[in-house]
Amino acid sequence: MKKSFLIGGFVLLICPFLFAQKNINPIISAENFVNKTELWESIGNGVINFQADVMYIYGKLYVTPLMPDSANHKLPTLNDAYLYPLYSQFKKNNGEIIPGYSGDVFLILNFANQPIQIYKQLASEMRPFSDMLTYKVEGNTHQGKLRILIKDKAQLDKINGIKPSFLGLVGNLGDVDKNVDSDKMPLIEVDFAELTSWKGIGNIPFEDFTKIKDIVAKVHAQKKKISIANCPSYKTVADLIRSANADFMNTPEPLKMSGFFNATN
């Protein structure tokens, strides 16, 4: 792995409280990890929220958007790449995934297919880690440190039609004015292209910046967080995320973008 990741991890170990307060970047990593080391190094680099593609294959959940060509594949399991390393952090830090960080860590899962089967397997695999999970059942909230979310409302409706789930929903631009309960929809994700035609070069048009700030303010007024997806990977965009008070950008290039955010910390 790259040296910058390793240095970040070292800082996390020697000074966790300082790290939690100053070095967390407003990024959701959309890079599928292949092992626990990549997740730990991501945290060390200030990226603590994640998105992963998940598929049910022969009784296990694997991190992949596509079915492998062979039964002898080497795909990582969700447990090995995400659940176990997050829980290891949680136990090591006495009930905190990130020491001194009071918010939830988000793990967004994209279900490739078979949503009910995936959820049943996920529920089984989460059982040993349930004390880490934030969820609401029959009006009672269990306050953990991890929220697991999905983006597909139709999939979530199917799952909840079988059994009320611990999954939350990621909303979209159409949900901004619906004021859905933040326990059910703690995060709204808006595509960058829905907000502006600006490509990240030069200055964003003022009217677009004002529009983005207004949407962010609406989402925050509902006690939700907002993520902007598919942004150009430029420092100007990192500056926009900061100045608009958006909570996250969702990016497949978390290392590159974290470098831009770290430069302004």
Side-chain angles (χ1 to χ4, degrees), residues 78-95:
L78 182 67
N79 194 321
D80 288 343
Y82 290 89
L83 302 181
Y84 169 74
L86 285 169
Y87 192 67
S88 178
Q89 284 285 120
F90 179 77
K91 296 302 285 186
K92 180 184 71 176
N93 297 317
N94 299 314

Side-chain angles (χ1 to χ4, degrees), residues 102-114:
S102 60
D104 278 319
V105 169
F106 291 129
L107 174 59
I108 302 169
L109 300 181
N110 296 325
F111 293 177
N113 50 39
Q114 298 179 281

Side-chain angles (χ1 to χ4, degrees), residues 31-232:
E31 179 183 15
N32 283 336
F33 296 147
V34 300
N35 55 47
K36 61 187 178 184
T37 302
E38 289 191 353
L39 184 138
W40 285 334
E41 290 176 346
S42 176
I43 291 176
N45 205 51
V47 180
I48 69 167
N49 297 279
F50 313 100
Q51 176 180 296
D53 298 307
V54 178
M55 183 173 286
Y56 179 84
I57 306 173
Y58 303 127
K60 288 186 179 181
L61 298 182
Y62 290 92
V63 179
T64 178
L66 301 171
M67 180 67 73
D69 295 331
S70 167
N72 297 320
H73 65 83
K74 302 297 183 183
L75 293 171
T77 65
L78 182 67
N79 194 321
D80 288 343
Y82 290 89
L83 302 181
Y84 169 74
L86 285 169
Y87 192 67
S88 178
Q89 284 285 120
F90 179 77
K91 296 302 285 186
K92 180 184 71 176
N93 297 317
N94 299 314
E96 294 187 316
I97 295 174
I98 306 299
Y101 180 70
S102 60
D104 278 319
V105 169
F106 291 129
L107 174 59
I108 302 169
L109 300 181
N110 296 325
F111 293 177
N113 50 39
Q114 298 179 281
I116 294 173
Q117 188 63 61
I118 289 177
Y119 178 73
K120 288 180 177 178
Q121 184 63 30
L122 178 62
S124 176
E125 294 187 12
M126 276 302 304
R127 196 167 292 119
F129 312 131
S130 60
D131 52 335
M132 173 177 66
L133 191 63
T134 293
Y135 58 91
K136 192 169 186 176
V137 177
E138 297 179 353
N140 298 315
T141 299
H142 176 269
Q143 190 62 49
K145 291 296 180 180
L146 177 70
R147 284 297 313 262
I148 301 180
L149 312 176
I150 65 172
K151 297 181 181 181
D152 192 315
K153 185 178 185 300
Q155 288 185 343
L156 186 59
D157 286 344
K158 285 183 181 179
I159 293 166
N160 285 334
I162 303 299
K163 181 180 180 180
S165 75
F166 53 73
L167 299 173
L169 183 66
V170 179
N172 56 38
L173 184 61
D175 294 307
V176 170
D177 293 319
K178 293 181 180 177
N179 202 19
V180 178
D181 185 347
S182 61
D183 285 330
K184 297 178 180 178
M185 183 186 288
L187 177 68
I188 285 180
E189 181 177 275
V190 181
D191 194 276
F192 186 80
E194 295 180 296
L195 301 174
T196 179
S197 60
W198 179 61
K199 304 303 182 184
I201 306 298
N203 295 322
I204 186 172
F206 181 73
E207 60 271 22
D208 290 354
F209 176 69
T210 301
K211 174 184 176 181
I212 293 169
K213 285 206 70 171
D214 288 346
I215 290 173
V216 169
K218 279 185 178 181
V219 172
H220 286 168
Q222 298 172 31
K223 297 183 179 179
K224 299 183 179 75
K225 294 185 182 296
I226 183 168
S227 176
I228 301 176
N230 299 315
C231 303

